Amino acid sequence: MSEKPKLAMYWAASCGGCEISVLNIGDKILIVDEVFDLAFFPCIADFKHHDVEGYEDGYIDVCLFNGAIRTSDNEEMAKLLRKKSKVLVAYGSCAYEGCIPALSNLTTKDETFNTVYYENQTIDNPNRVVPQVETQVPEGTLTLPSFYNTVKSLDQVVDVDYYLPGCPPEPEQIWAVLEIVVNALLNDGPLPPAGSIVGAGNVAVCEECPLDKNVKTITQFYRPYEIQPEPGLCLLEQGLICVGPATRSGCGALCPQVGMGCRGCYGPLEGVDDQGAKMLSAIASVVGVGDSTDDEFELEEMIDNVMDSLADPSGTFYRFSMAHSLLERVKANGNGTNGGEVK
Amino acid sequence: MSEKVGVYVCHCGTNIAGVVDVEEVSNWAGEQPNVVCSRDYKFMCSSLGQELIEEDIKEHGLTRIVVAACSPHMHEKTFRGATERGGLNPYLFEMANIREHNSWATTDKAAATHKAKALVNGAVERVVHHQPLEPIPVEINPATLVVGGGIAGISAALELADAGNHVYLVEREPSIGGHMAQLDKTFPTLDCSACILTPKMVDVEQHPNITLYSWSEVENISGYIGNFNVTVRKKARYVIEELCTGCGICEEKCPRKVVDEVFEAGLAQRKAIYTPFPQAVPKYPVLDPPNCTYFERGKCKACQILCPTGAIDFEQEDELLEFPVGNVILATGYDLFDSNRIPQYGYGHLANVFTSLEFERMVNASGPTDGKIVLRDGESVPQSVAIVHCVGSRDNNYHEYCSKVCCMYSLKFAHLVHERIPEAEVYNFYIDIRTPGKGYEEFYNRLLEEGTHFIRGRVADVTDAARLPGEEGKLIVQAEDTLIGKQRRIPVDMVILSAGMEARHDSQDVSLMFGMGCDFDGFFTERHPKLDPVATMTEGIFIAGACQGPKDIPDSVAQGAAAAARVAGLVNQETVMMEPVRASINKETCSGCRLCNDLCPYNAIVFHEDQKLSEVITALCQGCGTCVAACPSSAINGAHFTNEQVFSEIEGILWDVMEHQAVPA
């Protein structure tokens, strides 16, 4: 029997949840172990950078790459793994569309450092030490990867074959994808076309959500802790932000079913370039105060009042998709100076 | 897939070519991807210009057409036609507006040329994503709704009815006739207004093809050209029309008198149950509950007791009538400028200052003074009269526009004063005398001969504060006589304010209800100010008369007839082809979230509970795009405005700032 196909999984800017999600597919993990040899999986096995460098190009059959591109190290690893892998999968929301790390695209590297190294309540940094790319010590020069101003998704630095959305992806979806891959490798089964989003549906989360949906007119937004949602009724109708209508299905609408509005981790649907803008546009369309007989100025004020009850719109609507959106990042300081690129 | 795009840059004479370097734009466009043929031409809309397109399609096998010229409002249809004659689907065409949006907006040639390139490039990038579309045939209901029973509405209704079409004429007041019914004489022929109007009113009443709803208002309208659904509120008259003979006993016996602020302009009284004037159509009176003793105190019922046919019904309620029509003509008329708004002219606090409408009623033989010109005391005959032109018109504080009719009716007033009080002095204070119209200038000359004093100057002040001998007890009109460059103080007995015409106070609500536009002054907006003055931007909705802008009687009549002709044309065709620019919902990707369900201004979206899907009813959709923008999962597609088309156009326009650079680190 020929050698087993090689599987790799790597984390860039991520929380580690994606690794756990792979291990969370239950006894199917035994099949994975049976089918594949691990070529690189720093979370669960001891591999070194130079191990990968030593592989021939295309040595790895499937690489599940999770995490966003936050530092020069992330980018270097992305490029290395792209070269060494036949199939590169952007695994999870960070690699696919930037996710939580990319929310820092709402500010700048300097501001981020300021907060993390100087201003956080728990920080005690009297010498104002911050990470440097190069540090001179008596023994020579120490280097660290550089910290980018803008967080990117994996496909913004290398070509990606498939995207597997979710924060993290759901076990049955992970297995469904792995099954296709295994079938393709062992039995020459069909692979989806390159660039496909795999392990997710093509309709919005609402399709899977069992809550009752009615015509929506929102007069006030609430944060989850502020009200006890009425059971069985669409959360959005009750003023609780649920990004389900703008989010790909595939998760089984887990969050809305337990009274927590969909956060949007499966990303936008086919044909949507900007999930955040789409959801904001949808929400704005159903704010239902006043009517055309109201004074224009008063109407504007009424609408403003409703929208003011919506906390942190950019963080809410772009929670997962900032890097991959039309927005990509905000212009810093209004004029693009201070290191913030103009996008 | 690669498309072959033809680009045509129009000079529009010097309209565009005077500012934009059209040749440069055309040459540059020729170098852009997909463009296989690029030309500039003096007038693309000419038949020769259009033939260029047709020939190039055949010769070069063009698959897409871009014309950079004027606004699509102007010539999109023209060039779609040329594209179609060349053998392509007309929707494989795109227009770049380099006139209104460019050459007319600047004199900076370099900037304008640069912008023209961007607009052309946007159109090229967009047009390659265009899809062929087929127009949607719609049947036209032959019935027409005419709103407003003034002379414009009457003319429109009669023209249509005479041509064999059914008309619903809805009038807000108890009688049709409008402002014209209040006038005494009409300029310049001095025809008796009632004598020429009332036969037409009677024709309306008797016409088998006209259903008249007076004392009624349109409450709601839905639908689209050919298939509108109208709801009319027929206000309670408290008179059963089937029983009423119009004998007038109720009005005669009603004990309650009320000042008639509407028809008699406050100069006379009417009863609580009344017909506004003897020739009113329909003849049925209207009861006015707030002023009726029975409604106030539960007693009286004189009208009911004495009505010989038992036609009075105190229990009557408003009735809501619904009916379908194919087209609508709005002829809602105008309001008279409220002279109280110019306090220095004294109206309201100086008794002998009258408005033009008050004077019209006064000189009317059937009016409150039987045609005698008297001061507010009802008996003194004025020996001197000042007529102030342009009250509320041509004045930046009120209306910038000229009300068009005031010069002529002011001359008419002067004539009537001379006629009734030969010894009286008449002063007309004017800014300019404007008499463009058949026989109008001749009428002015006649007045000059009749001895009217014309003083060229806007009146500054009307006061009763005498300063000079001879001013005591008089109204003093102060103005600068700009022809002699001197301040004049003219003491007179009576002042008439020639108030201008303004849009109806509720014209904005009406325009919203009918889904068409009105301008900043509140007048309804025509489709084209020169070439399409009675159509609106909404298919199937037409306008006629003073609701579109100040107008005299002949113009209103002509517009009424013109609107009727437009409607008759549509009715004759039986079907019209509607723009296929519509929204549609992809059943495969609709999640049934119902976010779109309440958004459609045309109520074109329905939700299918069984399939948990929403659907756009194509015939109702007007292609506004509201739902397309709102659908969070992009399950709604706006034909001709797809994401791909819109984003490509944006990227094309931003060609010089978008280098497709990778995201910077």
Side-chain angles (χ1 to χ4, degrees):
Chain A
M1 186 182 158
S2 63
E3 250 187 285
K4 287 202 239 174
K6 304 290 179 289
L7 177 71
M9 184 159 197
Y10 183 69
W11 47 15
S14 71
C15 66
C18 283
E19 271 76 6
I20 307 307
S21 74
V22 171
L23 303 177
N24 192 35
I25 61 174
D27 52 10
K28 302 283 193 314
I29 196 72
L30 299 173
I31 305 177
V32 174
D33 181 52
E34 200 178 300
V35 172
F36 292 101
D37 268 341
L38 286 189
F40 189 51
F41 203 149
C43 177
I44 59 170
D46 189 11
F47 287 98
K48 296 287 185 262
H49 185 259
H50 57 77
D51 295 335
V52 182
E53 278 185 320
Y55 296 151
E56 281 174 27
D57 287 358
Y59 173 79
I60 300 166
D61 291 279
V62 181
C63 174
L64 307 177
F65 190 105
N66 72 85
I69 308 302
R70 163 87 279 180
T71 65
S72 57
D73 173 58
N74 299 150
E75 182 166 357
E76 187 185 324
M77 286 306 292
K79 287 181 170 160
L80 179 64
L81 286 165
R82 170 69 278 183
K83 206 159 77 167
K84 303 296 176 190
S85 308
K86 290 200 185 79
V87 173
L88 180 67
V89 179
Y91 184 101
S93 176
C94 292
Y96 168 30
E97 45 179 359
C99 196
I100 307 292
L103 281 178
S104 69
N105 290 358
L106 292 167
T107 174
T108 60
K109 169 193 167 179
D110 291 348
E111 286 298 315
T112 305
F113 272 28
N114 237 357
T115 306
V116 172
Y117 293 104
Y118 303 141
E119 286 173 2
N120 268 350
Q121 298 269 322
T122 52
I123 293 294
D124 181 23
N125 184 3
N127 297 329
R128 299 182 74 77
V129 178
V130 289
Q132 302 295 323
V133 176
E134 288 187 355
T135 310
Q136 302 299 333
V137 290
E139 294 83 357
T141 305
L142 293 178
T143 60
L144 278 176
S146 75
F147 187 97
Y148 291 161
N149 195 39
T150 298
V151 172
K152 288 177 248 174
S153 61
L154 181 59
D155 68 356
Q156 285 168 343
V157 295
V158 295
D159 288 337
V160 168
D161 297 303
Y162 300 114
Y163 302 88
L164 181 57
C167 182
E170 280 304 304
E172 58 275 23
Q173 296 286 11
I174 301 167
W175 175 243
V177 171
L178 287 174
E179 213 175 14
I180 294 173
V181 174
V182 168
N183 193 34
L185 289 170
L186 299 185
N187 310 320
D188 276 336
L191 276 175
S196 297
I197 289 165
V198 294
N202 293 319
V203 189
V205 172
C206 305
E207 170 103 339
E208 296 180 329
C209 176
L211 299 178
D212 279 340
K213 294 160 205 80
N214 302 291
V215 170
K216 294 168 190 20
T217 314
I218 302 175
T219 51
Q220 159 102 52
F221 293 105
Y222 299 98
R223 304 190 75 173
Y225 69 86
E226 289 177 318
I227 58 165
Q228 192 68 44
E230 197 183 310
L233 187 64
C234 169
L235 298 170
L236 192 52
E237 278 160 40
Q238 305 185 52
L240 289 161
I241 291 293
C242 175
V243 192
T247 305
R248 222 172 245 283
S249 59
C251 59
L254 296 172
C255 303
Q257 289 190 61
V258 294
M260 176 61 69
C262 169
R263 314 277 89 186
C265 75
Y266 264 62
L269 283 119
E270 181 78 41
V272 178
D273 292 287
D274 193 311
Q275 185 186 19
K278 255 305 187 191
M279 192 62 205
L280 193 56
S281 158
I283 293 270
S285 306
V286 292
V287 166
V289 286
D291 57 49
S292 58
T293 60
D294 286 311
D295 173 75
E296 206 170 314
F297 179 74
E298 284 170 21
L299 191 61
E300 211 168 287
E301 204 171 69
M302 283 192 270
I303 294 170
D304 281 351
N305 286 341
V306 180
M307 292 313 280
D308 283 348
S309 69
L310 201 167
D312 185 18
S314 49
T316 302
F317 298 122
Y318 288 95
R319 185 179 270 123
F320 299 95
S321 61
M322 174 58 80
H324 218 249
S325 67
L326 287 177
L327 218 53
E328 291 189 14
R329 70 158 298 117
V330 298
K331 196 168 159 178
N333 288 348
N335 58 8
T337 56
N338 195 18
E341 301 90 329
V342 183
K343 270 305 292 183
Chain B
M1 179 184 62
S2 139
E3 299 295 346
K4 292 180 171 180
V5 183
V7 175
Y8 300 85
V9 184
C10 182
H11 297 205
C12 196
T14 55
N15 273 307
I16 294 169
V19 184
V20 173
D21 185 342
V22 285
E23 205 175 319
E24 156 85 15
V25 174
S26 160
N27 290 340
W28 179 84
E31 295 161 10
Q32 301 314 306
N34 293 315
V35 178
V36 297
C37 155
S38 177
R39 301 176 188 278
D40 59 283
Y41 190 72
K42 205 145 191 78
F43 289 106
M44 279 310 297
C45 61
S46 67
S47 56
L48 288 175
Q50 294 184 56
E51 278 164 21
L52 268 183
I53 298 175
E54 295 171 43
E55 285 160 13
D56 283 349
I57 291 174
K58 287 165 191 157
E59 193 174 321
H60 299 285
L62 299 181
T63 59
R64 296 289 190 275
I65 302 298
V66 168
V67 176
C70 50
S71 160
H73 275 323
M74 195 76 165
H75 276 309
E76 189 172 54
K77 271 192 182 155
T78 311
F79 297 121
R80 276 185 184 165
T83 306
E84 194 171 21
R85 284 193 301 279
L88 291 180
N89 181 286
Y91 292 89
L92 300 179
F93 157 80
E94 177 67 8
M95 199 153 181
N97 182 350
I98 57 168
R99 193 178 75 173
E100 285 85 341
H101 286 180
N102 194 2
S103 69
W104 280 0
T106 183
T107 50
D108 182 337
K109 294 185 179 186
T113 303
H114 188 75
K115 182 172 177 183
K117 287 179 186 174
L119 293 170
V120 168
N121 201 46
V124 170
E125 294 276 320
R126 186 188 210 280
V127 82
V128 297
H129 297 289
H130 277 199
Q131 290 145 0
L133 300 171
E134 295 302 329
I136 301 158
V138 173
E139 280 187 31
I140 301 274
N141 183 315
T144 302
L145 168 70
V146 177
V147 186
I151 187 59
I154 288 174
S155 305
L158 285 175
E159 291 286 347
L160 275 170
D162 285 345
N165 305 299
H166 197 85
V167 175
Y168 295 94
L169 178 58
V170 176
E171 166 59 48
R172 170 143 79 183
E173 297 297 329
S175 168
I176 57 170
H179 280 106
M180 189 176 168
Q182 292 170 282
L183 310 182
D184 177 43
K185 297 278 197 300
T186 57
F187 61 75
T189 52
L190 301 174
D191 278 313
C192 152
S193 188
C195 312
I196 55 178
L197 175 67
T198 50
K200 287 200 169 282
M201 291 164 61
V202 174
D203 285 351
V204 166
E205 187 181 34
Q206 294 178 344
H207 208 297
N209 286 337
I210 298 181
T211 307
L212 171 61
Y213 296 122
S214 64
W215 201 236
S216 301
E217 291 188 54
V218 178
E219 182 106 336
N220 190 30
I221 179 160
S222 59
Y224 50 96
I225 181 173
N227 299 274
F228 292 108
N229 225 327
V230 185
T231 309
V232 168
R233 177 175 293 273
K234 200 163 180 293
K235 294 179 277 190
R237 277 189 130 91
Y238 304 96
V239 171
I240 302 163
E241 293 178 10
E242 293 74 28
L243 299 179
C244 176
T245 60
C247 68
I249 289 179
C250 53
E251 190 168 354
E252 193 184 316
K253 299 297 180 189
C254 174
R256 179 65 83 86
K257 287 184 175 172
V258 187
V259 174
D260 183 354
E261 297 286 358
V262 180
F263 191 80
E264 295 293 1
L267 288 188
Q269 291 182 318
R270 59 162 171 83
K271 297 294 185 64
I273 186 165
Y274 67 104
T275 45
F277 53 101
Q279 305 93 326
V281 168
K283 62 197 170 196
Y284 320 118
V286 165
L287 189 146
D288 164 20
N291 287 309
C292 168
T293 310
Y294 171 73
F295 276 93
E296 214 173 55
R297 295 184 225 145
K299 276 188 224 160
C300 180
K301 290 194 176 182
C303 50
Q304 193 179 45
I305 294 159
L306 294 166
C307 175
T309 58
I312 309 291
D313 175 10
F314 291 112
E315 308 298 318
Q316 202 176 60
E317 285 180 4
D318 290 2
E319 231 181 303
L320 287 180
L321 308 167
E322 270 188 54
F323 50 87
V325 296
N327 292 281
V328 177
I329 297 173
L330 293 172
T332 51
Y334 68 95
D335 281 340
L336 195 71
F337 175 80
D338 178 5
S339 299
N340 281 303
R341 290 172 62 192
I342 311 185
Q344 64 269 34
Y345 285 177
Y347 183 70
H349 59 268
L350 298 176
N352 292 319
V353 178
F354 292 82
T355 67
S356 45
L357 197 59
E358 286 176 333
F359 188 76
E360 285 286 359
R361 291 311 301 153
M362 195 193 291
V363 286
N364 193 306
S366 60
T369 61
D370 300 325
K372 282 201 281 293
I373 300 172
V374 287
L375 296 181
R376 201 68 77 170
D377 62 12
E379 44 195 60
S380 319
V381 175
Q383 296 306 307
S384 50
V385 177
I387 301 169
V388 180
H389 292 220
C390 299
V391 175
S393 311
R394 304 186 68 194
D395 184 336
N396 282 337
N397 297 316
Y398 307 101
H399 297 301
E400 196 183 342
Y401 57 81
C402 165
S403 287
K404 203 171 175 181
V405 298
C406 324
C407 277
M408 282 308 293
Y409 80 60
S410 299
L411 294 177
K412 177 186 78 179
F413 286 173
H415 169 80
L416 292 173
V417 176
H418 288 309
E419 182 187 274
R420 314 256 160 114
I421 317 167
E423 70 279 13
E425 297 292 340
V426 183
Y427 302 87
N428 272 47
F429 292 85
Y430 68 99
I431 305 175
D432 300 290
I433 293 286
R434 296 189 165 173
T435 57
K438 194 168 175 179
Y440 290 12
E441 186 71 10
E442 293 88 328
F443 189 71
Y444 174 38
N445 289 334
R446 177 174 167 185
L447 263 292
L448 289 171
E449 281 166 21
E450 282 180 9
T452 310
H453 306 286
F454 286 93
I455 298 174
R456 188 173 189 274
R458 182 193 285 284
V459 170
D461 195 22
V462 176
T463 176
D464 58 355
R467 245 176 32 204
L468 303 169
E471 290 183 353
E472 294 84 5
K474 300 271 188 185
L475 293 172
I476 302 102
V477 182
Q478 169 139 12
E480 184 194 349
D481 185 333
T482 57
L483 293 181
I484 56 170
K486 277 194 175 152
Q487 286 289 332
R488 302 276 304 264
R489 286 171 65 85
I490 311 284
V492 292
D493 296 329
M494 176 190 251
V495 172
I496 305 167
L497 301 179
S498 295
M501 294 165 104
E502 58 185 16
R504 285 279 187 203
H505 58 281
D506 55 356
S507 68
Q508 200 154 19
D509 299 336
V510 174
S511 80
L512 275 176
M513 189 197 298
F514 287 89
M516 30 79 83
C518 67
D519 62 23
F520 289 120
D521 293 312
F523 292 113
F524 298 149
T525 313
E526 62 284 346
R527 184 175 273 263
H528 192 280
K530 304 267 184 286
L531 301 177
D532 213 351
V534 297
T536 67
M537 295 310 287
T538 306
E539 303 273 358
I541 310 276
F542 298 87
I543 49 178
C547 64
Q548 183 258 357
K551 238 169 240 77
D552 61 9
I553 293 167
D555 283 0
S556 297
V557 171
Q559 279 211 336
R566 292 294 299 273
V567 170
L570 287 165
V571 171
N572 270 351
Q573 287 178 42
E574 292 176 0
T575 54
V576 285
M577 301 308 268
M578 295 215 319
E579 281 264 299
V581 178
R582 307 285 145 127
S584 58
I585 299 184
N586 182 346
K587 279 186 187 171
E588 303 299 316
T589 52
C590 173
S591 69
C593 74
R594 305 196 67 180
L595 267 162
C596 60
N597 283 190
D598 207 23
L599 300 182
C600 180
Y602 309 98
N603 299 319
I605 299 181
V606 291
F607 181 69
H608 299 295
E609 194 67 56
D610 50 338
Q611 307 167 60
K612 304 274 181 219
L613 287 177
S614 297
E615 188 191 350
V616 174
I617 307 297
T618 310
L620 290 173
C621 173
Q622 297 292 303
C624 72
T626 305
C627 62
V628 181
C631 176
S633 43
S634 263
I636 310 186
N637 179 52
H640 218 51
F641 289 88
T642 64
N643 273 358
E644 209 180 21
Q645 289 163 357
V646 174
F647 282 121
S648 309
E649 184 171 8
I650 294 172
E651 286 185 14
I653 286 174
L654 299 177
W655 66 281
D656 56 340
V657 290
M658 263 201 48
E659 294 299 331
H660 295 281
Q661 76 267 46
V663 185

